[in-house]
Amino acid sequence: MKARYLLVALAALSCSDSSPVGVARDSRPRADLLVYDPFDPPSFPPPQVGLLICTPVASDSVTQTIGPEGGTIQVAAHILWVPPGALNTAVSITAVAPSDTVNRVRFQPEGLTFQQPAALVMNYANCDLLGSTLPKKIAYTTDALQILEYLPSLDDLGSQTVRGWVRHFSDYAIAW
């Protein structure tokens, strides 16, 4: 059903004859009988979508070797945790967090895949939330910051971080 609201009306209210006391019934729909349809929610206010706008912070770059035993890389205020067994051999990993109005991280070697997901924790303390508590998520993006897909993510409002599960290396940014 494409309607934004369902009209709830009782059959008795739709009758055209007068009431027992002689007062004619108003057959117009009543606003208090409009009910929210959870299968077709209204579009107001419009949902916030896209990348989170942030105050630029200093750029950072880190290169570190991580092997089959796993390890952690910190770049700026973001952390990548590679669990044991995620890599078969030692790999030199570079993480770059550029100074930008979007909190993002680029990982290399591009296309590196993990045997099991790595956890990427990104910080958004320097971002404008516009008073919203909408959950943040990590987005896999192109070089031009086009969102390709959203990672399974957990938003922690208290620490202003969002954790996503990374299966391969590419560019990632914080999104609504």
Side-chain angles (χ1 to χ4, degrees):
M1 176 181 225
K2 290 291 182 189
R4 293 279 179 204
Y5 295 92
L6 296 176
L7 178 61
V8 177
L10 300 173
L13 291 176
S14 66
C15 295
S16 60
D17 56 334
S18 60
S19 69
V21 291
V23 178
R25 290 194 177 126
D26 188 350
S27 61
R28 294 175 293 174
R30 291 179 35 197
D32 61 333
L33 294 178
L34 294 177
V35 176
Y36 173 72
D37 179 359
F39 298 103
D40 192 18
S43 61
F44 58 87
Q48 302 260 352
V49 292
L51 300 176
L52 205 55
I53 303 301
C54 308
T55 302
V57 295
S59 63
D60 193 12
S61 178
V62 174
T63 300
Q64 186 173 322
T65 300
I66 295 185
E69 68 283 351
T72 302
I73 296 176
Q74 181 165 353
V75 58
H78 316 298
I79 299 170
L80 176 72
W81 176 73
V82 179
L87 295 170
N88 292 329
T89 61
V91 178
S92 179
I93 295 173
T94 299
V96 177
S99 179
D100 200 342
T101 58
V102 172
N103 281 4
R104 60 188 178 124
V105 179
R106 171 178 288 154
F107 290 103
Q108 293 178 332
E110 178 124 3
L112 175 71
T113 58
F114 297 103
Q115 301 299 315
Q116 51 188 312
L120 174 59
V121 179
M122 296 186 74
N123 187 298
Y124 58 85
N126 64 312
C127 300
D128 185 0
L129 303 181
L130 303 171
S132 176
T133 58
L134 287 174
K136 273 59 75 196
K137 48 197 159 203
I138 296 179
Y140 164 39
T141 68
T142 65
D143 291 340
L145 295 176
Q146 248 185 325
I147 296 173
L148 298 173
E149 70 179 88
Y150 295 104
L151 304 182
S153 304
L154 296 170
D155 184 10
D156 182 348
L157 289 171
S159 67
Q160 293 187 302
T161 60
V162 60
R163 177 185 322 195
W165 303 106
V166 175
R167 294 198 162 274
H168 62 85
F169 272 170
S170 194
D171 294 356
Y172 297 98
I174 300 177
W176 291 101

